[in-house]
Amino acid sequence: MMSLFFPLLFVSVLCMNSFSAVQGKKWKGEGTTQNLESIVIGRCYEYIRLVNPAVGEKNCSQIWEAFKNAFINKDPCNILPEDYELFINITFHTIPPNKSLFWENNQLLVTSLAARGRRYMSVGDTLFGFLADFLIWCGQADSPGLDYESCPTMAECENNAVDSFWRIASVTYAKHSSGVVQVLLNGSAEGGAYPQPGFFADYEIPNFQKDKISQVVIWVVDDIEGPDRDSCGTNSVKTLETRLKTLGFDVTCTDNYKSVMFLLCLDYPDHSKCAFASSAPAAQRGPISSDRGGSWNKLMFVSFAGFLFRFALVY
Amino acid sequence: MLKWKDRGTTKNLQEVIVGRCYNYITAQHPELGDKDCLKIWESLKDAFIYKNPCNITPEDYQPLMELASHPIPCNKSLFWSKTNDLVHRYTKSNQNFLTLEDTLLGYMADRVSWCGDPSAPGINYESCPKRNECESNPGSVFWKMASKMFAEAACGVVQVMLNGSVEAGAFRSSSIFGSIEIFNLDPDKVTEVHIWLMQNIGGPQSESCSGQSIQRLINILEERNFKIICEDNYRPVQLLQCVHSPDHTDCRLCTNSSAIP
């Protein structure tokens, strides 16, 4: 039996390799988002016409070309942040002071909190971030086409088109943040609320401008049903606070910041952590329901009561 | 070009509409992958280009409506009146409900404007008619038709978010909800109507479920055989209101893990 084992193993490995070659998938990650060009150009006009017209006129076709040229016709594992420099330059706009919102492990929460740039401007609310948010893209060497079948993951290579993009986007975003900056961390995250390595630790903090940032406000919020792994003054958050203070920043830290608690409570309205204090009178009023049988019920009751009354009279 | 009182067609309307269409299908609703976004744009354009913008009819939009409509899951339709900001913040945070603006048609058309003109290039980027200039303008006709279809497509339990802090009353017969949507709900498909009557945090408390205009609404709906439940300050939505007024007395939480500033 053993003498058959290795040949069998060899053959099956060969088959697996040729199977994936037949499949045509070079990489393990999802391929480029379909209709990428129309989406990016559409988002560009959406942003300058509707989301944030304050950024003024931009040439969206030129922006798409600069974006595309950063990664097409190249080895998809050799795309560097610098390749996006022209794109970043032509999409750049100032970030209003006191509106920057950094985050780790809570992207959907940040989207709700930022309210499309009206309350805060996260990196996804800047023009350059808005264009790329939630999209996937990559090219191939020796061909101007986008690869719609698969794209490399971080594990396969660090210098892939998407991760390099977010590196330069994060650096740019941090460099141009000013005033009071906020950072929202997840106190229930495995590996700590302040992950190292991480985008915030490696690309954003090192680019905070001391002469522009007046204060760093840290919010550590646990998942409603999650464990309280990290909080202000403990573990990774303590590491973060110390690092920022050593760098010379004025730092505050709040656990379970109320505004964010309310957002988390949307999915758990009946959880004990989400119960309103009894002073809210409107919340006490129960539902008023219209019952189509209501008038019939009243009629039956009155008739029955009448019957009982007559019954009582007779006896 | 004719001159009107409202803002003109949104610049780069084509790119915005096509981009939104692909964004909706690709990024959010891959099950609609068979929709042709370029054809959809063409059908929108054909509805108004080179036409006098006071002469638009529902028939003009019929091809667009057919190309872009899609089924709505039961129990998810969420209607609204005078709660634009709040209702859409809610549906962005809670995927269990869909307003018209969360369907493909509404998503593409939200916050943009368009109108045509008989002279070249056929699209008026300078101005478009306001409703009081003429009712059969491209925007009004579009939204009336889309609202009617949205109501017709609803099934199961439907929800409506109304504003209990407006002076003119939470339910108005002149609103799209009051004049079109409630009359196009299909009693064979829709079983119940849940009213969420939301008051602003800190008031005013102009109306509640026992209020006059709500009673009128309930009567109209009952006559059409719907069961109605009305709830003042529906909890999950009130939680959302509290996000931006966390320190208000109406938003005090029982939890004793209080924030230390």
Side-chain angles (χ1 to χ4, degrees):
Chain A
M1 276 310 287
M2 273 304 287
S3 61
L4 277 177
F5 176 73
F6 284 110
L8 271 176
L9 179 63
F10 181 67
V11 168
S12 50
V13 167
L14 258 187
C15 285
M16 268 164 41
N17 281 345
S18 59
F19 181 66
S20 59
V22 163
Q23 290 253 294
K25 283 194 198 242
K26 265 186 254 155
W27 311 105
K28 296 200 177 121
E30 267 184 64
T32 300
T33 307
Q34 290 290 334
N35 306 112
L36 185 73
E37 177 173 349
S38 297
I39 291 177
V40 172
I41 293 182
R43 283 182 179 191
C44 181
Y45 284 116
E46 171 97 38
Y47 193 90
I48 67 177
R49 302 277 173 243
L50 301 161
V51 175
N52 191 6
V55 305
E57 199 61 31
K58 298 278 185 199
N59 185 333
C60 290
S61 309
Q62 207 184 47
I63 286 171
W64 162 251
E65 289 299 313
F67 177 74
K68 195 177 58 162
N69 290 333
F71 62 91
I72 58 162
N73 252 310
K74 298 180 186 170
D75 175 0
C77 276
N78 197 13
I79 311 297
L80 303 173
E82 301 84 87
D83 294 338
Y84 291 100
E85 246 175 58
L86 174 60
F87 168 81
I88 291 287
N89 284 344
I90 61 180
T91 54
F92 178 73
H93 59 82
T94 53
I95 297 167
N98 309 318
K99 284 225 176 159
S100 294
L101 177 56
F102 298 87
W103 55 272
E104 283 284 4
N105 291 313
N106 43 33
Q107 186 171 13
L108 295 180
L109 213 46
V110 163
T111 307
S112 298
L113 194 60
R116 200 27 98 226
R118 280 174 305 167
R119 297 260 162 190
Y120 299 102
M121 187 179 277
S122 67
V123 68
D125 298 306
T126 63
L127 173 56
F128 48 92
F130 185 77
L131 295 181
D133 222 5
F134 301 108
L135 303 177
I136 296 174
W137 63 91
C138 65
Q140 45 215 324
D142 308 319
S143 157
L146 303 173
D147 190 340
Y148 290 99
E149 290 212 314
S150 63
C151 286
T153 60
M154 257 297 279
E156 289 177 285
C157 57
E158 279 190 15
N159 290 333
N160 64 75
V162 174
D163 284 287
S164 289
F165 173 89
W166 288 111
R167 276 181 208 122
I168 188 171
S170 304
V171 165
T172 308
Y173 178 66
K175 257 195 204 145
H176 294 97
S177 292
S178 65
V180 177
V181 307
Q182 285 80 204
V183 53
L184 182 64
L185 302 175
N186 184 340
S188 299
E190 272 182 41
Y194 168 62
Q196 283 181 289
F199 273 96
F200 183 56
D202 302 326
Y203 296 97
E204 290 170 334
I205 296 179
N207 288 289
F208 278 179
Q209 305 295 299
K210 262 183 235 65
D211 56 343
K212 289 210 219 146
I213 291 179
S214 59
Q215 192 184 54
V216 181
V217 170
I218 304 170
W219 296 323
V220 185
V221 183
D222 299 332
D223 295 334
I224 291 289
E225 296 196 321
D228 179 15
R229 285 199 173 96
D230 267 3
S231 8
C232 295
T234 71
N235 302 332
S236 72
V237 183
K238 182 165 182 204
T239 308
L240 169 63
E241 292 176 84
T242 306
R243 179 183 180 190
L244 289 170
K245 285 179 184 156
T246 309
L247 285 170
F249 292 105
D250 177 15
V251 180
T252 72
C253 188
T254 304
D255 285 307
N256 295 318
Y257 175 53
K258 271 190 242 166
S259 286
V260 180
M261 287 297 294
F262 283 115
L263 276 177
L264 288 172
C265 281
L266 288 181
D267 289 330
Y268 300 91
D270 299 318
H271 197 280
S272 54
K273 282 191 193 167
C274 302
F276 280 113
S278 58
S279 67
Q284 283 181 332
R285 260 180 285 179
I288 291 175
S289 100
S290 97
D291 185 353
R292 280 205 44 93
S295 46
W296 272 111
N297 287 346
K298 253 192 249 169
L299 183 60
M300 296 306 286
F301 176 72
V302 166
S303 320
F304 183 63
F307 172 79
L308 273 180
F309 185 68
R310 282 186 50 207
F311 190 81
L313 273 182
V314 167
Y315 288 90
Chain B
M1 287 264 150
L2 300 163
K3 279 200 170 61
W4 308 101
K5 293 191 180 141
D6 215 346
R7 59 187 176 140
T9 301
T10 305
K11 282 203 197 133
N12 303 105
L13 183 69
Q14 175 173 353
E15 287 88 346
V16 171
I17 298 283
V18 172
R20 281 178 173 187
C21 181
Y22 283 126
N23 202 51
Y24 187 92
I25 294 169
T26 314
Q28 295 167 26
H29 296 268
E31 72 274 13
L32 299 177
D34 62 334
K35 295 290 185 200
D36 185 336
C37 290
L38 291 173
K39 243 176 144 177
I40 285 173
W41 158 250
E42 290 295 316
S43 68
L44 169 59
K45 192 176 65 167
D46 290 342
F48 69 92
I49 197 170
Y50 282 111
K51 295 181 184 167
N52 184 312
C54 280
N55 264 347
I56 304 298
T57 66
E59 288 71 51
D60 289 324
Y61 283 116
Q62 196 56 37
L64 168 65
M65 298 288 157
E66 275 165 30
L67 284 172
S69 68
H70 58 82
I72 316 271
C74 286
N75 309 318
K76 288 198 171 193
S77 300
L78 175 52
F79 298 87
W80 58 274
S81 193
K82 292 289 183 240
T83 50
N84 192 344
D85 195 54
L86 185 58
V87 78
H88 294 114
R89 275 171 53 207
Y90 187 61
T91 57
K92 302 246 177 336
S93 320
N94 187 331
Q95 313 287 320
N96 281 327
F97 300 103
L98 286 169
T99 61
L100 169 56
E101 295 73 25
D102 297 305
T103 66
L104 175 58
L105 209 49
Y107 183 82
M108 288 189 296
D110 201 19
R111 291 170 296 125
V112 296
S113 58
W114 62 85
C115 66
D117 190 278
S119 58
I123 298 182
N124 193 336
Y125 290 98
E126 303 305 310
S127 63
C128 286
K130 259 191 154 139
R131 250 185 72 180
N132 55 19
E133 291 181 282
C134 57
E135 286 231 16
S136 296
N137 66 74
S140 298
V141 174
F142 173 86
W143 286 110
K144 279 193 183 151
M145 229 185 135
S147 301
K148 177 167 180 272
M149 287 182 54
F150 182 62
E152 283 168 350
C155 59
V157 177
V158 308
Q159 286 77 208
V160 55
M161 191 186 296
L162 299 176
N163 189 336
S165 288
V166 288
E167 247 186 74
F171 171 70
R172 293 163 320 125
S173 306
S174 56
S175 64
I176 287 195
F177 175 66
S179 61
I180 293 174
E181 289 170 332
I182 54 175
F183 297 109
N184 282 286
L185 294 172
D186 184 344
D188 290 333
K189 293 195 321 197
V190 174
T191 52
E192 279 177 37
V193 179
H194 287 191
I195 303 169
W196 300 337
L197 191 33
M198 306 307 301
Q199 295 163 343
N200 297 342
I201 297 291
Q205 297 181 356
S206 308
E207 194 164 2
S208 66
C209 282
S210 47
Q212 264 196 343
S213 78
I214 299 298
Q215 286 309 306
R216 256 191 318 118
L217 170 61
I218 291 177
N219 289 339
I220 295 173
L221 290 171
E222 275 185 341
E223 257 177 51
R224 304 194 68 225
N225 279 344
F226 298 113
K227 175 166 182 219
I228 298 103
I229 295 183
C230 183
E231 204 168 329
D232 288 304
N233 293 311
Y234 176 63
R235 278 293 305 291
V237 179
Q238 191 175 37
L239 287 164
L240 189 58
Q241 288 176 299
C242 286
V243 172
H244 297 305
S245 310
D247 298 316
H248 197 281
T249 41
D250 287 349
C251 294
R252 282 200 335 248
L253 288 176
C254 278
T255 180
N256 54 16
S257 63
S258 48
I260 299 162

